[in-house]
Amino acid sequence: MTFPSNSFLDDSTESRQDRPDKPEEACGIFGLYAPDEEVARLAYFGLFALQHRGQESAGIATFDASGSHCYKHMGLVSQVFDDHILKDLTGHIAVGHTRYSTTGSSHVCNAQPAVVPTRLGNLALAHNGNLVNAADLREELIDRDHDLITTTDSEMIAFALAEAVNDGSDWVKAAEMAFNRCYGAFSLVIGTPNGIMGARDQQGIRPLVLGVLDHEIPEVGQPAHYVLASETCALDIIGANYVRDVEPGELVWITPEGLISHKWAEATQRKLCVFEMIYFSRPDSIVNGESLYSYRRRLGHQLAKEAPADVDLIMAVPDSGVPAAIGFSQQSKIPYAEGLIKNRYVGRTFIQPTQSMREVGIRMKLNPLKDVLEGRRILIVDDSIVRGTTSRKIVQALRDAGATEVHMRISSPPVTHPCFYGIDTDNQDQLIAATKSLEEIATQINVDSLAYLSWEGMLETTYQDPDSFCSACFTGKYPVEVPEPFKRAKLKFELKEPVAT
């Protein structure tokens, strides 16, 4: 989370029109303890696998006998690092981060890991999530004469931990004290001269997994080459084996003696962000013992049962809508086809397109296949609609390519409330489903019909306890209490008539 320069309640000055029409994840985190390995290079590839979680900045910090080394900068992982930089990041411990800022402008000073000195040596902290009490924590730290360098709540967690260390606590005790000052969502990887730790908030809102580079999974407390990451896809890329999730309210401390687990707080019921399941995490990542591709395909099955359509072809908004579209096709027995081709090399660019290119709109990223679409009734599946701007452009491109009808199905419920736990969703008045009825949304994006998956169907399809997920962006029921001044910054008004599903 990043605070704007004037006030944490200020709205971002970034143009809403230039932002993606999707919720944006805050960041990806990665860490490993691996003596005799090129930890910086392994961290680079781990972050490369987590690039989808943040594309604004990237950083790696390492620890060796001489101390800590850190390099971070704006840009994609492949743009920030090269062989020369990685060779200078020596050590047996690495902490990595790839970031998307959730509020305010993106600056290199806010890139992570956050490195803070202590009496026991530097610590390097990588954070995924948002603290809802960041304003109060910031005031406490400033009152104790801490010189905060950045505008992120991540740095505040690092300073709170350093404060406890400097007051005499060891790393684990200091972490427990710091975490108990933090409210909201946080998954953390923290490097120190003595070891590396991973931790999650009491609800486990943001993900964190544990793996090993070794062929055999060791007993608890036995030495091993351990890996911590936001998702299992970051383990796969470096050949690590998934062991388990770090549990809500758990801290794992990894040293030359092995791994020790601490409960820094009594865990409440798990509240994993359900959008991790629907959209954020990569489809090849494993959650609840299966790939998210399998879950997303089941969403399509359920969507076809709830909202069938009489059409000629099923297609997806690539890439995130593909598994659900395939599931819809399988359930409905209607053929699936690619109707939009994605330019996979278009990332975030600082070079603005010409005015004529802007008028062409979506084709810079998605180009329709006219011979597939012409003369056909099309149903297009996407995972979510936030503002509706991109959906409208896609629908128009399909019509221009010759589709006679365009229907849309969404494999999640309407997004009606902003997130306060690490997802960059707009203020409530920018969320199309918070301000318009289903019919009004269909008219605005120019589809022949529109339907969303039900909230019940979304959760039932997880095959897990429905109460083990945070779905506040669909319901407004926030599992961690949000202070009123912070809440009012985004909840400018409450939805009066829920959107039908």
Side-chain angles (χ1 to χ4, degrees):
M1 175 181 176
T2 307
F3 294 100
S5 56
N6 295 326
S7 167
F8 81 103
L9 295 181
D10 288 346
D11 200 7
S12 171
T13 57
E14 181 184 5
S15 171
R16 297 276 176 192
Q17 296 303 316
D18 295 334
R19 294 174 57 180
D21 190 20
K22 291 282 185 183
E24 292 291 328
E25 179 57 271
C27 52
I29 60 177
F30 186 87
L32 72 159
Y33 174 87
D36 305 319
E37 297 282 351
E38 295 183 77
V39 293
R41 190 172 296 273
L42 292 173
Y44 169 88
F45 285 106
L47 293 181
F48 189 81
L50 299 172
Q51 186 72 85
H52 59 288
R53 299 183 72 89
Q55 299 89 43
E56 290 190 356
S57 65
I60 296 173
T62 61
F63 291 81
D64 61 16
S66 67
S68 66
H69 316 274
C70 184
Y71 187 85
K72 50 189 176 180
H73 213 281
M74 306 304 295
L76 303 176
V77 175
S78 60
Q79 296 169 330
V80 171
F81 297 102
D82 58 27
D83 275 328
H84 177 74
I85 292 169
L86 293 174
K87 285 178 181 177
D88 288 340
L89 296 172
T90 57
H92 60 286
I93 290 172
V95 173
H97 190 271
T98 184
R99 179 173 184 266
Y100 179 85
S101 61
T102 54
T103 308
S105 299
S106 178
H107 296 290
V108 68
C109 69
N110 290 328
Q112 293 185 40
V115 179
V116 175
T118 79
R119 67 177 180 87
L120 299 178
N122 288 349
L123 68 87
L125 179 145
H127 171 212
N128 177 206
N130 265 13
L131 301 186
V132 298
N133 70 322
D136 292 338
L137 182 57
R138 183 179 178 85
E139 287 185 11
E140 291 174 16
L141 294 169
I142 291 174
D143 287 345
R144 294 200 61 175
D145 297 323
H146 289 287
D147 186 15
L148 300 180
I149 300 170
T150 76
T151 56
T152 67
D153 56 354
S154 309
E155 185 193 37
M156 297 173 207
I157 303 172
F159 268 99
L161 199 163
E163 182 178 89
V165 168
N166 292 336
D167 286 344
S169 296
D170 62 22
W171 290 112
V172 173
K173 182 61 177 176
E176 292 175 354
M177 294 170 66
F179 300 161
N180 275 293
R181 298 172 68 181
C182 300
Y183 300 97
F186 55 90
S187 285
L188 302 167
V189 174
I190 304 168
T192 77
N194 304 104
I196 189 170
M197 68 176 72
R200 291 175 79 187
D201 63 77
Q202 290 170 278
Q203 285 74 30
I205 295 172
R206 305 258 70 87
L208 187 63
V209 299
L210 175 70
V212 290
L213 280 170
D214 310 85
H215 295 299
E216 299 291 333
I217 296 176
E219 298 291 331
V220 174
Q222 294 300 308
H225 294 75
Y226 284 99
V227 186
L228 294 157
S230 293
E231 300 178 35
T232 63
C233 63
L235 306 180
D236 297 336
I237 197 172
I238 63 169
N241 294 307
Y242 169 74
V243 176
R244 64 178 179 86
D245 288 6
V246 176
E247 295 298 322
E250 182 185 18
L251 180 160
V252 294
W253 175 234
I254 301 161
T255 67
E257 287 72 42
L259 179 147
I260 299 173
S261 171
H262 294 264
K263 284 291 185 181
W264 67 265
E266 287 300 320
T268 59
Q269 185 171 35
R270 186 192 77 158
K271 290 290 184 179
L272 178 68
C273 170
V274 76
F275 245 118
E276 293 282 354
M277 306 281 291
I278 296 166
Y279 171 64
F280 290 133
S281 295
R282 267 179 34 172
D284 54 332
S285 286
I286 304 298
V287 179
N288 299 321
E290 66 172 355
S291 72
L292 288 175
Y293 176 88
S294 296
Y295 168 65
R296 292 168 188 174
R297 190 174 56 180
R298 288 200 302 273
L299 290 176
H301 291 166
Q302 183 66 23
L303 187 57
K305 295 175 185 176
E306 293 184 7
D310 182 16
V311 295
D312 301 314
L313 285 178
I314 308 298
M315 58 174 286
V317 176
D319 289 319
S320 58
V322 169
I326 291 173
F328 197 108
S329 172
Q330 291 172 338
Q331 180 66 36
S332 66
K333 311 301 183 186
I334 300 170
Y336 170 83
E338 286 192 66
L340 289 167
I341 299 301
K342 183 177 182 180
N343 181 352
R344 304 185 191 284
Y345 299 96
V346 175
R348 292 171 185 249
T349 175
F350 296 103
I351 306 300
Q352 294 299 313
T354 65
Q355 181 58 36
S356 61
M357 289 174 66
R358 286 195 189 97
E359 290 170 0
V360 171
I362 200 68
R363 288 179 178 84
M364 194 170 169
K365 292 186 177 181
L366 297 170
N367 203 30
L369 291 169
K370 292 184 180 180
D371 56 343
V372 173
L373 300 168
E374 192 167 13
R376 291 180 170 87
R377 300 170 299 162
I378 305 300
L379 184 141
I380 187 165
V381 179
D382 203 357
D383 56 81
S384 61
I385 301 177
V386 176
R387 289 181 292 136
T389 52
T390 299
S391 299
R392 184 174 63 251
K393 292 175 183 177
I394 289 172
V395 171
Q396 188 58 51
L398 297 177
R399 294 192 185 280
D400 291 344
T404 58
E405 295 179 16
V406 180
H407 304 262
M408 183 170 281
R409 298 293 183 267
I410 306 299
S411 60
S412 65
V415 177
T416 55
H417 288 74
C419 177
F420 299 97
Y421 306 135
I423 299 173
D424 182 22
T425 49
D426 290 289
N427 289 331
Q428 197 175 27
D429 58 358
Q430 297 291 324
L431 302 175
I432 191 170
T435 62
K436 297 183 183 299
S437 68
L438 187 68
E439 293 74 19
E440 288 171 333
I441 298 171
T443 298
Q444 179 162 323
I445 65 176
N446 192 26
V447 290
D448 292 283
S449 73
L450 171 68
Y452 291 83
L453 183 67
S454 68
W455 178 77
E456 293 83 2
M458 173 190 69
L459 293 175
E460 288 173 5
T461 310
T462 65
Y463 297 162
Q464 302 292 313
D465 179 358
D467 290 332
S468 66
F469 295 96
C470 174
S471 57
C473 51
F474 307 121
T475 65
K477 297 178 180 178
Y478 297 99
V480 180
E481 185 177 355
V482 181
E484 282 304 316
F486 191 26
K487 183 183 288 188
R488 286 197 299 270
K490 281 192 173 184
L491 290 175
K492 293 186 176 180
F493 59 92
E494 283 297 328
L495 185 69
K496 295 180 180 179
E497 295 184 6
V499 173
T501 56

